[in-house]
Amino acid sequence: MAYPSAAPSSPPRQPSVKVILASADVQRVVDRIAHQILEKTHGAADTVLLGIPTRGAPLARRLAARISAFEDVSVPVGVLDITLYRDDLRRNATRAVGPTQLPAGGIDGMRVILVDDVLFSGRTVRAALDALGDLGRPSSVQLAVLVDRGHRQLPIRADYVGKNIPTALAESVKVTLAETDGTDEVRLYGEVHP
């Protein structure tokens, strides 16, 4: 008895991937943001950088190092964990709560620049603003991001943007950094095409 042959299965569809920033591009973007911070803050006077984990923390350290290299100015750096301030805690699994590490001088009266890798809906920044309110009273708060991909759900904008990447909602942006992922790169993952 002959069995009908199974139709050949097609390979699983892979999303399209496009490298937006390679390693050297990421370094140039960080340098440009560092220069913009120096210009807009008059030499980074009374300025603190707070990185939002996971990738905002190493970006904040890189920005501080580049500012120091360009102007011999030491900018205090800290880490602002926003896990418990997120508005999606009940709906999504979240990462473990991490430490918030403020610079020794604190943030009261300082210009705080929040640093993150990707600005999307604005909800992460809203959570960061809520967290800041519990930690002190900065004189002002600014935002620096490596990538702004659009699609804001809240009225939030970045003061310093490395790269604007217009995206579709179904696309995603993935930032990798040497400190957390072994390499510096920004990729755009597109929709699955037949």
Side-chain angles (χ1 to χ4, degrees), residues 18-21 29 117-120 145-152 161-169 171-175 185-189:
K18 180 178 181 185
V19 175
I20 301 296
L21 297 173
V29 165
D117 57 346
V118 178
L119 177 58
F120 180 33
V145 296
L146 191 65
V147 174
D148 183 346
R149 63 162 292 186
H151 304 289
R152 220 72 78 237
V161 177
K163 179 93 172 155
N164 284 295
I165 302 174
T167 63
L169 273 173
E171 295 175 317
S172 64
V173 173
K174 174 69 173 160
V175 173
E185 194 170 68
V186 176
R187 291 182 176 204
L188 176 65
Y189 290 84

Side-chain angles (χ1 to χ4, degrees), residues 24-93:
D25 301 321
V26 171
Q27 184 57 52
R28 274 192 295 276
V29 165
V30 170
D31 285 354
R32 184 171 63 245
I33 294 171
H35 279 293
Q36 290 171 350
I37 289 171
L38 283 166
E39 291 170 11
K40 194 169 182 179
T41 64
H42 308 291
D46 300 319
T47 299
V48 170
L49 299 172
L50 289 182
I52 300 171
T54 295
R55 289 167 189 82
L59 282 172
R61 289 189 291 273
R62 285 189 193 190
L63 285 169
R66 298 311 294 155
I67 288 169
S68 178
F70 297 143
E71 293 289 329
D72 197 26
V73 173
S74 179
V75 178
V77 180
V79 177
L80 181 64
D81 184 79
I82 59 146
T83 303
L84 296 178
Y85 295 88
R86 296 183 58 90
D87 62 4
D88 60 356
L89 282 176
R90 285 171 286 191
R91 287 190 286 142
N92 298 328

Side-chain angles (χ1 to χ4, degrees), residues 82-160:
I82 59 146
T83 303
L84 296 178
Y85 295 88
R86 296 183 58 90
D87 62 4
D88 60 356
L89 282 176
R90 285 171 286 191
R91 287 190 286 142
N92 298 328
T94 187
R95 65 182 190 81
V97 176
T100 289
Q101 300 166 341
L102 294 181
I107 61 169
D108 289 332
M110 302 291 282
R111 174 188 302 109
V112 171
I113 301 178
L114 298 172
V115 182
D116 204 5
D117 57 346
V118 178
L119 177 58
F120 180 33
S121 67
R123 292 183 180 277
T124 296
V125 177
R126 189 229 23 102
L129 292 170
D130 288 349
L132 271 181
D134 286 348
L135 298 172
R137 185 175 167 88
S139 63
S140 65
V141 180
Q142 296 177 345
L143 176 62
V145 296
L146 191 65
V147 174
D148 183 346
R149 63 162 292 186
H151 304 289
R152 220 72 78 237
Q153 296 172 353
L154 299 170
I156 290 174
R157 68 166 180 80
D159 300 276
Y160 311 98

